Amino acid sequence: MSAPHRLDRGHTDDLMSFLAASPTPYHAVANAAERLEKAGFRQVSETDAWEGSSGGKYVLRGGAIIAWYVPEGAAPHTPYRIIGAHTDSPNLRVKPLPDSGAHGWRQVAVEIYGGPLMNSWLDRDLGLAGRLTLRDGSTRLVNVDRPLLRVPQLAIHLDRAVSSDGLKLDKQRHLQPIWGLGDDVRDGDLIAFLEEELGLGAGEVTGWDLMTHSVEAPAYLGRDKELLAGPRMDNLLSVHAGVAALTAVSSGDLPYIPVLAAFDHEENGSQSDTGADGPLLGGVLERSVFARGGSYEDRARAFAGTVCLSSDTGHAVHPNYAERHDPTHHPRVNGGPILKVNVNNRYATDGSGRAVWAAACEKAGVPFQSFVSNNSMPCGTTIGPITAARHGIKTVDIGVAILSMHSVRELCGADDPHLLANALVAFLEG
């Protein structure tokens, strides 16, 4: 039997490279910025006065990036077309006093970030990455992308009940990774190790934001390689598609100002200076209006005509748990991106927003599917409702359907990332 028709996999190949190179939000936005720079975008500082020239610009703040392209001659009241996404994923993050251990094992003290599938972190070869702050206030990215840590599971011989009662993990006691041997745990060992990795002097690092990641590379999966397995697809898949779409439209005459807004901290509520519930996006959009000579009236007009696509992963129907899904809404992988709907506003989509999304998909020749939660199951949420409520702009929740959401390694259809990017291009073009 011949293999089924597949889309060009160049986009998905590039996504795999992006995922592998982005173990933390800080790396993700650095990699996004590098791609934007190659497309002619230039970084602007929040502490400088902004001028109203046309072209591509971006702001970096921590693990967040806001990028936009101002077409030649754009009026101050020109509306925005925004792709919203987030850069963070659930994981294990290093505590302020990281050096610990017991019974001859050296360990790293970690805290649970977001809502990970904790069992997926067991018996994985883990690296360590993040952001280091130096004594002079500057920052350096670090990525130890090799087997360094491991959270070992208890042998079945010492926990016979696991077969009948299921695995039960205590977040404090059972998820602390090991990284060596020794009875003499010394404060400062982990940070001293990272200083050596980067060639820094002893005591130069005074602050850190560090997290673990699986070092297993993204890979195609299945007989016909129809699937993609990899880390952090929730939600770097959308960040990557957003960068691709923004750079694709950043030339020529556009009726809107296209924007990519990739926030940090979605997985724990978005309430930070780099989260969707903070002032970052609104401040950037307003400053862009005012830099082009606009007034508050122009700002109000621009926001009133703005639409945001909140792009985040959603749930594909699971073949082993189909009863957990709504019986009439079964999104399939490689069936195109999904439109997410919840009448209790866990998603921001309404009928008029659906029409905007349908028009973009029709223009791009991309099929799309609809997702709603089973009425008996609680519904997740995204940055969509936060963006709509905070800025008063129409927002539509969409994304790619995946399995194993919040696992250390997630699964999607290999064609869906490309389909999403094509639909995003059509949306930004209007």
Side-chain angles (χ1 to χ4, degrees):
M1 185 174 67
S2 61
H5 170 71
R6 296 190 306 224
L7 293 176
D8 172 57
R9 289 288 166 80
H11 178 91
T12 306
D13 290 341
D14 190 60
L15 169 62
M16 293 165 70
S17 298
F18 186 79
L19 292 172
S22 305
T24 76
Y26 313 112
H27 290 82
V29 298
N31 290 323
E34 181 179 359
R35 290 161 182 254
L36 291 165
E37 288 277 347
K38 289 179 179 178
F41 284 68
R42 296 295 176 259
Q43 184 176 2
V44 294
S45 171
E46 293 185 83
T47 59
D48 291 342
W50 289 7
E51 46 87 24
S53 62
S54 59
K57 307 171 186 183
Y58 67 91
V59 166
L60 279 179
R61 185 192 290 182
I65 185 169
I66 311 292
W68 66 103
Y69 176 78
V70 180
E72 190 73 36
H77 61 268
T78 301
Y80 299 96
R81 283 258 165 145
I82 304 169
I83 298 169
H86 68 88
T87 61
D88 60 319
S89 300
N91 57 17
L92 310 179
R93 302 203 172 188
V94 175
K95 289 183 175 180
L97 299 176
D99 300 290
S100 68
H103 307 291
W105 296 100
R106 302 184 72 178
Q107 295 176 276
V108 174
V110 296
E111 190 172 4
I112 311 302
Y113 178 83
L117 286 173
M118 293 187 295
N119 62 291
S120 72
W121 288 85
L122 301 178
D123 296 327
R124 295 271 186 179
D125 294 337
L126 303 177
L128 188 67
R131 178 180 65 176
L132 301 175
T133 302
L134 308 188
R135 191 172 297 279
D136 63 4
S138 64
T139 60
R140 292 279 298 275
L141 296 184
V142 62
N143 182 11
V144 183
D145 195 29
R146 63 179 186 271
L148 180 69
L149 307 121
R150 188 178 179 92
V151 182
Q153 187 171 194
L154 185 64
I156 193 170
H157 314 79
L158 303 178
D159 186 16
R160 296 289 185 182
V162 70
S163 297
S164 57
D165 299 340
L167 179 65
K168 298 177 181 178
L169 295 172
D170 183 281
K171 294 180 181 180
Q172 179 61 40
R173 294 185 294 122
H174 298 153
L175 290 170
Q176 307 305 309
I178 60 173
W179 75 304
L181 299 174
D183 290 306
D184 56 335
V185 175
R186 296 180 297 272
D187 289 341
D189 274 1
L190 181 67
I191 301 306
F193 163 76
L194 295 176
E195 288 173 334
E196 291 177 8
E197 285 284 309
L198 290 180
L200 299 171
E204 209 169 334
V205 173
T206 57
W208 52 88
D209 302 281
L210 297 167
M211 56 204 76
T212 61
H213 66 277
S214 171
V215 298
E216 186 178 3
Y220 288 110
L221 185 145
R223 184 193 66 180
D224 298 317
K225 298 183 178 179
E226 299 167 288
L227 303 170
L228 173 65
R232 300 176 294 279
M233 286 195 276
D234 178 11
N235 185 35
L236 294 187
L237 187 159
S238 294
V239 175
H240 175 265
V243 172
L246 181 59
T247 55
V249 304
S250 58
S251 62
D253 187 27
L254 295 170
Y256 304 101
I257 295 174
V259 180
L260 170 66
F263 301 101
D264 201 353
H265 300 131
E266 188 272 349
E267 297 293 356
N268 63 6
S270 295
Q271 292 185 323
S272 71
D273 68 327
T274 54
D277 204 18
L280 180 58
L281 176 61
V284 168
L285 299 183
E286 288 178 348
R287 291 184 70 176
S288 178
V289 169
F290 300 149
R292 284 176 281 124
S295 62
Y296 183 82
E297 182 71 10
D298 291 312
R299 179 262 187 216
R301 293 174 66 188
F303 277 43
T306 292
V307 182
C308 174
L309 288 186
S310 166
S311 182
D312 202 348
T313 54
H315 302 296
V317 61
H318 197 302
N320 299 337
Y321 300 91
E323 74 281 358
R324 302 294 182 96
H325 300 265
D326 183 84
T328 60
H329 295 77
H330 282 175
R332 297 188 176 193
V333 299
N334 287 337
I338 56 174
L339 176 75
K340 298 192 278 189
V341 178
N342 179 265
V343 296
N344 293 301
N345 287 334
R346 299 293 286 173
Y347 302 129
T349 307
D350 63 10
S352 60
R354 184 188 192 281
V356 172
W357 173 240
C361 289
E362 182 178 2
K363 178 181 177 181
V366 169
F368 75 90
Q369 309 173 81
S370 295
F371 171 83
V372 295
S373 290
N374 185 306
N375 286 338
S376 299
M377 305 288 293
C379 180
T381 190
T382 69
I383 65 168
I386 294 171
T387 304
R390 182 169 185 84
H391 306 294
I393 58 179
K394 178 173 291 299
T395 303
V396 189
D397 274 297
I398 56 100
V400 163
I402 70 171
L403 293 181
S404 304
M405 186 183 293
H406 287 198
S407 171
V408 74
R409 196 165 177 84
E410 298 163 322
L411 186 71
C412 75
D415 291 335
D416 282 332
H418 190 198
L419 293 172
L420 172 66
N422 287 348
L424 295 181
V425 168
F427 166 73
L428 292 180
E429 290 177 336

